[in-house]
Amino acid sequence: MKQRWPLPGLIVVCLLAIFPGTANAQPVSPEDSPQRLKEAFNKVDTNNDRTISEDEFLKQPGDAKVHRRDFRLFDFDESGDLTPDEFSCLPGLVHPSVRGPIPDPFDDMLDVALDTLDEIFDDWSDDPEREIYNNGFVFGFLRSISPEMQTSYTASQMRIADVNRDSKLTWAEARRYVEIQLGIRGSDGTPLREPGGRVLVFSRFGIFDDDKSGGVSWDEFRQHRSGSNAEADFRRGDRDGNGQISVTEFAHPEWVEFYDPILTFRRGDTDFDGLLSEAELEEVTEHWRQKLVPYAIPAFDQDGDGKLSLREFRISFIGNYIAVWESPVRDKNRDQRLTFDEYTPQQAECRLLCRYYFNRLDANGDEELKPDEYAYQVNPPATLHRMTIDGKGFRQIYESEKLPFCGSPAVSPDGKYVMFDAYPPSGLRDARVIRITIDGEDETDLCDGLMPTWSPDGQRFSCTTYGDTNLRIRNRDGSDDIDIGEGWGAQWSPDGRSICYTKSSRSIWVYDVETREHREVLPRDDHQYRLIYWNMVWSPDSKRLLFKADKQNAKSSDIATIQMTGEHELTVHMTTDRSPDNDMAWMPDGEHILVNLATPDRKTRLLYKWKLGSEEPPEPMPGIDPSLRYNNVTISPDHKWIIMSTARNP
């Protein structure tokens, strides 16, 4: 077997070689369409030869320029006549769900992808029941699209591919997965493209389904669809009358959530030349998608005529409404260029199509997008803010263009200094430990490292170095580096006796500062977590450890504690899907914590106070600026200050 996974890369190359470069309501019901179509054809076919010549077509009432354009647009085989099948594709004759089949460029893209797949897997299509392990197939497929793709995303894709959960794929299952990757199907297998050219706006289902229950209620629907027709549209969509619009109902051909690129193209072609200029494209594109217009023709103009044909328009991200291509794109690491992962919409499951679009935009082929190739926003530098523990005196104390990412703040025992990690656009490997005064003055670059915590006497600190993942103890000025072993996220206990850390993101360990011995507190086989996060936090009495953890395949996270003495009892206090930050803080009473959580509407993340184990919901901390997004948090040992790492929206 040749399987060495240049697959999607090869597919994209082949696609590039071949492709360089909301529906209007119809008055005719699908049931009446065949008869209506037959009558319309016979009326135009005046010589009854079962084809329609251009002369016959132009004799119809109406604008001859429109008829001439439409004739050439739908004469797909360029024979000079319209066959009944070609005639049936004309918009307005019948309901669009039963319009005749229009040659779809995505069918050609699929053929290229499957031919490449077939070649790599030794003529798999000739032996379609031969099975290949799902995990290896999906992992190789996705990593060849993007080596930096997150493991959590890869795991979700493995579930999408393996429909029958037998951990193997047949040729048919692999084909279905490639169709999902090209946006021909949704992640659940729902067809997104009709033979007549319409595209299901599947991304809206995920937007409407706020609670992710798999159905859209009336309350959810009206939050996103206003107007006098909203209630009637909902009733029409809820075909079984159960008060929910299911995925199947959402995708019903008579439902309203279809985009018709054929109608859009004809409406935009105001000079009737069968092409869209940039001005025409701008005029016909919705205002919220205007950012795409300047890039559509340079990226998708196959023949270099400076305009888009119908075929080119349907390939483009303007004519293909399956994802929110116009969503804001951010240069997250502030390196003045976009990687593929930064470009790709988070909700888009069709990563192969995203890669194709990315490569089309990448005019110079350097695997990144510059500002002249695609518009994006640059994330502002992260900041540190402080306020008193009772929510007063909120103000910024740190921001740096040179080191625009900062976090893991820790306040010295005397309350005079803040130590934290900060790193440049090049990434965590170049992270530095920085010290400033509590007022944000006297910035000092101490050494390399991450996640510093002070010793109780304030003379030393612990940290973790990135490259070798070694735990370190250093003097307060960064000197006298002592390597205390392998681990991640060293945190010094308030009583000074211990430093906790994780190993392999699955187990919790403790280093005894006096004896220099390591002992395991929570072995990886004693819990169900796939990931125990760094920045664990000691309780004020040094008897408990607070941490965040994720279970396998779970969409929520646990906030838990473990007793650091005795039987090391593990207690889960909260399970939430509100994306809690892992760097939390204990309040002085040892009962309440501070944690940054997504707001109930998931639009931002704020700082909350919560009593461990309480049934009462967390309360937003008073005094913070709600326009900021909150990440890490700590409380000074003297219980005077709260220090927060924050982010501003672009």
Side-chain angles (χ1 to χ4, degrees):
M1 184 178 294
K2 302 173 185 175
Q3 177 206 355
R4 289 295 181 269
W5 285 110
L7 174 59
L10 281 178
I11 293 174
V12 171
V13 169
C14 295
L15 293 179
L16 291 172
I18 295 179
F19 304 105
T22 310
N24 295 336
Q26 299 295 322
V28 183
S29 69
E31 292 76 13
D32 297 334
S33 293
Q35 182 61 32
R36 168 71 179 270
L37 185 62
K38 182 178 179 181
E39 292 172 356
F41 183 88
N42 290 339
K43 185 176 181 179
V44 180
D45 179 23
T46 55
N47 64 2
N48 298 318
D49 65 352
R50 301 298 298 158
T51 63
I52 295 174
S53 67
E54 185 171 1
D55 288 340
E56 289 174 317
F57 197 76
L58 292 176
K59 290 178 182 178
Q60 297 180 91
D63 193 330
K65 295 191 297 296
V66 175
H67 294 328
R68 184 174 291 105
R69 185 274 314 277
D70 285 348
F71 184 88
R72 295 172 182 174
L73 207 59
F74 294 96
D75 180 17
F76 302 123
D77 60 7
E78 299 180 353
S79 65
D81 294 297
L82 293 184
T83 65
D85 285 343
E86 291 171 331
F87 183 81
S88 70
C89 299
L90 288 164
L93 294 175
V94 295
H95 191 277
S97 64
V98 292
R99 203 161 53 198
I102 298 175
D104 191 344
F106 278 79
D107 289 341
D108 297 333
M109 297 174 80
L110 177 62
D111 289 342
V112 172
L114 294 178
D115 286 346
T116 308
L117 191 72
D118 210 18
E119 179 181 349
I120 289 176
F121 287 95
D122 296 329
D123 299 322
W124 193 1
S125 63
D126 291 340
D127 185 13
E129 297 306 312
R130 174 159 55 97
E131 296 179 321
I132 290 176
Y133 283 106
N134 174 64
N135 288 6
F137 178 90
V138 173
F139 183 85
F141 189 101
L142 295 176
R143 286 305 171 96
S144 64
I145 293 175
S146 173
E148 305 300 323
M149 196 168 291
Q150 295 181 359
T151 302
S152 58
Y153 178 80
T154 304
S156 69
Q157 287 294 300
M158 290 175 180
R159 294 191 294 273
I160 289 172
D162 187 17
V163 181
N164 60 4
R165 299 295 186 267
D166 66 351
S167 300
K168 297 177 182 179
L169 296 181
T170 62
W171 172 256
E173 291 171 321
R175 177 189 175 113
R176 174 185 177 276
Y177 183 67
V178 173
E179 290 175 345
I180 292 171
Q181 285 292 310
L182 281 173
I184 296 172
R185 293 181 181 271
S187 59
D188 66 344
T190 300
L192 303 184
R193 304 182 67 84
E194 290 185 338
R198 292 197 308 174
V199 177
L200 178 66
V201 189
F202 194 61
S203 58
R204 286 185 188 156
F205 185 85
I207 295 172
F208 289 0
D209 183 18
D210 288 329
D211 61 6
K212 307 307 175 188
S213 65
V216 177
S217 67
W218 163 240
D219 286 339
E220 290 174 322
F221 187 79
R222 66 180 176 179
Q223 293 296 319
H224 301 280
R225 177 61 59 78
S226 58
S228 58
N229 294 329
E231 188 171 358
D233 284 343
F234 181 82
R235 288 198 302 269
R236 186 151 56 95
D238 180 20
R239 303 183 74 83
D240 61 8
N242 71 344
Q244 295 264 330
I245 298 176
S246 66
V247 174
T248 301
E249 290 171 330
F250 193 87
H252 193 279
E254 293 185 56
W255 175 232
V256 296
E257 297 302 331
F258 281 88
Y259 171 75
D260 195 334
I262 314 302
L263 288 181
T264 301
F265 185 90
R266 293 175 72 251
R267 189 170 68 249
D269 180 23
T270 54
D271 62 3
F272 311 112
D273 65 350
L275 301 167
L276 291 184
S277 65
E278 183 170 335
E280 290 173 324
L281 195 60
E282 181 178 347
E283 187 66 26
V284 81
T285 301
E286 299 89 337
H287 66 88
W288 63 87
R289 306 181 79 210
Q290 284 292 319
K291 65 167 287 186
L292 300 174
V293 171
Y295 309 102
I297 291 178
F300 300 101
D301 176 21
Q302 174 184 355
D303 54 17
D305 62 1
K307 298 183 178 183
L308 293 185
S309 66
L310 176 59
R311 180 181 178 84
E312 292 165 343
F313 176 72
R314 294 179 68 198
I315 294 171
S316 77
F317 36 48
I318 295 181
N320 187 24
Y321 223 130
I322 63 166
V324 189
W325 306 112
E326 68 277 8
S327 59
V329 177
R330 295 179 181 177
D331 175 19
K332 297 176 183 177
N333 62 2
R334 297 174 50 83
D335 62 356
Q336 306 303 312
R337 55 186 181 269
L338 284 185
T339 63
F340 170 69
D341 290 323
E342 288 173 320
Y343 162 76
T344 302
Q346 290 186 355
Q347 78 280 7
E349 303 290 356
C350 48
R351 293 301 171 97
L352 180 56
L353 179 60
C354 292
R355 169 56 78 173
Y356 174 72
Y357 283 170
F358 182 87
N359 285 12
R360 293 307 318 147
L361 292 165
D362 182 17
N364 63 3
D366 63 356
E367 291 295 317
E368 55 193 29
L369 300 182
K370 303 295 196 309
D372 61 333
E373 293 174 319
Y374 196 70
Y376 56 82
Q377 300 170 327
V378 179
N379 277 355
T383 52
L384 292 181
H385 281 75
R386 80 165 198 200
M387 69 178 182
T388 61
I389 200 166
D390 57 355
K392 298 178 180 178
F394 183 88
R395 76 176 183 88
Q396 180 178 309
I397 59 173
Y398 178 80
E399 181 179 25
S400 171
E401 287 289 342
K402 180 181 177 182
L403 300 172
F405 304 96
C406 62
S408 303
V411 182
S412 60
D414 59 10
K416 295 182 178 180
Y417 295 95
V418 181
M419 193 181 296
F420 56 94
D421 56 36
Y423 58 94
S426 55
L428 288 174
R429 293 184 182 277
D430 296 318
R432 308 297 298 174
V433 175
I434 306 296
R435 187 184 65 211
I436 57 176
T437 67
I438 197 71
D439 296 321
E441 305 295 333
D442 300 329
E443 179 180 337
T444 303
D445 185 336
L446 298 177
C447 58
D448 65 318
L450 293 159
M451 297 167 284
T453 54
W454 296 83
S455 64
D457 61 8
Q459 298 306 306
R460 296 183 293 174
F461 66 90
S462 64
C463 67
T464 306
T465 52
Y466 188 87
D468 48 14
T469 63
N470 279 349
L471 311 172
R472 309 275 182 179
I473 294 178
R474 288 169 169 157
N475 291 332
R476 63 177 294 147
D477 63 359
S479 64
D480 196 18
D481 182 14
I482 301 174
D483 184 345
I484 63 172
E486 183 180 351
W488 190 253
Q491 303 286 302
W492 213 314
S493 63
D495 63 13
R497 297 177 181 177
S498 305
I499 295 174
C500 69
Y501 59 94
T502 65
K503 273 191 175 182
S504 304
S505 302
R506 294 289 304 279
S507 59
I508 297 176
W509 290 69
V510 165
Y511 172 77
D512 189 303
V513 176
E514 181 178 353
T515 66
R516 300 188 178 184
E517 294 180 349
H518 298 259
R519 62 184 176 90
E520 191 172 22
V521 175
L522 182 62
R524 61 183 300 160
D525 294 332
D526 288 1
H527 61 83
Q528 298 179 334
Y529 296 119
R530 66 171 180 84
L531 175 61
I532 296 175
Y533 284 82
W534 50 99
N535 286 117
M536 300 179 292
V537 193
W538 291 91
S539 60
D541 60 8
S542 299
K543 292 182 179 180
R544 289 181 292 170
L545 200 61
L546 176 71
F547 62 94
K548 170 187 171 181
D550 291 346
K551 292 180 180 178
Q552 191 72 36
N553 300 330
K555 295 182 179 180
S556 57
S557 299
D558 286 352
I559 293 177
T561 58
I562 186 170
Q563 292 286 342
M564 299 305 285
T565 58
E567 297 297 320
H568 302 307
E569 181 182 358
L570 176 66
T571 304
V572 176
H573 300 278
M574 176 192 288
T575 299
T576 178
D577 63 354
R578 289 174 58 184
S579 303
D581 188 74
N582 51 292
D583 195 354
M584 299 171 278
W586 291 85
M587 296 293 284
D589 61 8
E591 295 182 358
H592 292 81
I593 65 169
L594 297 182
V595 55
N596 293 299
L597 292 166
T599 52
D601 60 10
R602 306 304 194 271
K603 291 183 177 180
T604 188
R605 187 157 65 179
L606 299 178
L607 181 62
Y608 289 83
K609 179 181 178 181
W610 184 62
K611 184 176 182 180
L612 284 177
S614 171
E615 294 183 0
E616 296 297 321
E619 299 178 355
M621 275 295 290
I624 63 173
D625 181 352
S627 69
L628 299 174
R629 181 180 177 86
Y630 292 79
N631 299 313
N632 306 160
V633 63
T634 192
I635 295 176
S636 61
D638 62 6
H639 306 153
K640 181 178 180 180
W641 300 107
I642 298 174
I643 310 295
M644 301 145 281
S645 65
T646 52
R648 289 180 282 119
N649 292 320

